[in-house]
Amino acid sequence: QVRLVESGGGLVQAGGSLTLSCVVSGRTFSTYAMGWFRQAPGKEREFVSAITRSGDSTTYADSVKGRFTISRDNAKGTVYLRMNSLKSEDTAVYYCAARVNYYPSTNSNDYNYWGQGTQVTVSS
């Protein structure tokens, strides 16, 4: 059984920083490409960032490019999302997801496992 648990969400002022973590258990972590998605109330889930299972390549949505950084530690079975220069538009529930593939995807339908989500609220 594969389980994903996000943490690190909270309330932060605009311009501030926050780091999200996602711990994956149940399988060898390096088996999966990983992605981060977010969903605001009344909005569709949207792609944020993704990383290959080896961590040698990353992808970012245009809205977060230059501000967010995705990384992974395969020894710890954890993927991270470092968020800098946060804006009110970044307010959403953030989800990590795992895909049984060498390469990640920007499409949420391509992911096999999901975490429960962690709330990020940016105030100004």
Side-chain angles (χ1 to χ4, degrees):
Q1 182 177 357
V2 178
R3 293 182 178 181
L4 288 70
V5 181
E6 302 98 333
S7 63
L11 177 64
V12 64
Q13 293 183 339
S17 299
L18 205 61
T19 299
L20 306 183
S21 300
C22 176
V23 178
V24 181
S25 62
R27 290 291 191 93
T28 302
F29 181 60
S30 60
T31 300
Y32 307 106
M34 298 295 299
W36 284 98
F37 293 78
R38 66 187 182 186
Q39 187 168 23
K43 304 294 184 180
E44 294 184 350
R45 188 168 298 185
E46 66 175 350
F47 169 77
V48 176
S49 185
I51 188 168
T52 57
R53 65 187 186 187
S54 67
D56 63 343
S57 182
T58 58
T59 304
Y60 299 92
D62 289 340
S63 60
V64 306
K65 193 173 299 181
R67 299 188 297 119
F68 291 10
T69 302
I70 189 171
S71 62
R72 66 191 294 163
D73 186 334
N74 286 353
K76 296 182 178 180
T78 305
V79 62
Y80 306 93
L81 185 68
R82 176 65 175 176
M83 304 182 293
N84 295 323
S85 302
L86 283 163
K87 307 174 181 179
S88 60
E89 302 92 273
D90 297 318
T91 296
V93 176
Y94 284 71
Y95 300 88
C96 67
R99 185 188 185 203
V100 184
N101 198 290
Y102 187 90
Y103 302 99
S105 173
T106 60
N107 190 338
S108 62
N109 292 327
D110 291 335
Y111 289 81
N112 304 98
Y113 307 102
W114 292 84
Q116 82 288 349
T118 184
Q119 175 70 233
V120 173
T121 303
V122 183
S123 64
S124 180

